[in-house]
Amino acid sequence: MPAFAPTLGSMNVIWAAAGVVIGLAAGAALRATVFRLSVAPGEPERQACPRCDRPIPRRLAVRCSRCGASLGAPLALELSTAVVLALLLGRFGGQPDVVAFGFFGVLGVALAAIDIATQRLPDLLTLPAYPILITLLAGAALVGHDFAALERALLGGLALAGAYLVLALIRPGQLGGGDIKLAGVAGLALGWLGWPALIAGAALGFVLSALVSLALLAARRLTLRSAISFGPFLIGGALVAMLTSMH
Ligand SMILES: [Zn+2]
């Protein structure tokens, strides 16, 4: 039986429901940060309301306090974070690593939203994710007495960041520095789950990206020269591998 089978009436459903609630709150909390960081590379952060130009608070705002304009699409972040956390908490709930995977899910939604809007993955989110995720996994290793998994996570982070670095050097323009840094974060989480999960997650990112590119080409929404952001596929592939892994 796959570990991700939804077992009605068991703790999994309660954890998934908790994921919905926490996800809605986390999505709302992220809205101001995603809005501020959704700018073209090299541009200063957005700090003013798009409609009336009033400065927006740095955190915890979902709309302009003067004119009421929404910061970003209403509910999009909240609902996507709720879905991702429901799945992750339903899968990892009750295990020592649940906080680490919940963190990866929330970070992933925020980064995917920014990458789709602006084709970049800001260092401001990817770099602090390393110490945070390593600390959470180290805590899980202590609680679960699983130091082999922690060692594998660190090697997995190095391996995936290294693989993306090589790919970026071979095919310049396809993958950016943000993708390499995000790959290291995904590699930490996937490596914790095991080498098969790491390989599956990495491969699924490219499969998803190819499928969506082909669909967009067929719909003539894209030409062969268009660059599409890779972050959402890297995150999506990692999430699918996490949800279906057996660790
Ligand atoms: Zn306003």
Side-chain angles (χ1 to χ4, degrees), residues 35 46 48-54 56 64 67 69-72:
F35 176 84
R46 289 204 284 181
C49 167
R51 196 194 287 165
C52 75
D53 235 26
R54 182 192 177 88
I56 55 158
C64 171
C67 74
S70 178
L71 303 179

Side-chain angles (χ1 to χ4, degrees), residues 102-213:
F103 168 76
F104 180 84
V106 173
L107 174 84
V109 172
L111 283 171
I114 295 171
D115 202 9
I116 289 168
T118 64
Q119 303 226 331
R120 66 186 277 262
L121 296 160
D123 287 352
L124 208 66
L125 294 183
T126 50
L127 295 184
Y130 281 88
I132 295 172
L133 191 56
I134 290 170
T135 305
L136 293 174
L137 289 175
L142 272 173
V143 173
H145 304 290
D146 196 352
F147 291 97
L150 181 61
E151 192 185 315
R152 214 170 43 227
L154 297 173
L155 290 174
L158 280 175
L160 209 52
Y164 268 72
L165 176 62
V166 171
L167 285 173
L169 292 174
I170 295 173
R171 299 176 63 195
Q174 299 282 321
L175 294 169
D179 295 312
I180 300 168
K181 291 165 210 162
L182 173 60
V185 178
L188 284 170
L190 290 167
W192 171 269
L193 295 172
W195 296 111
L198 183 83
I199 292 162
L204 276 167
F206 289 100
V207 171
L208 291 175
S209 158
L211 288 177
V212 170
S213 298

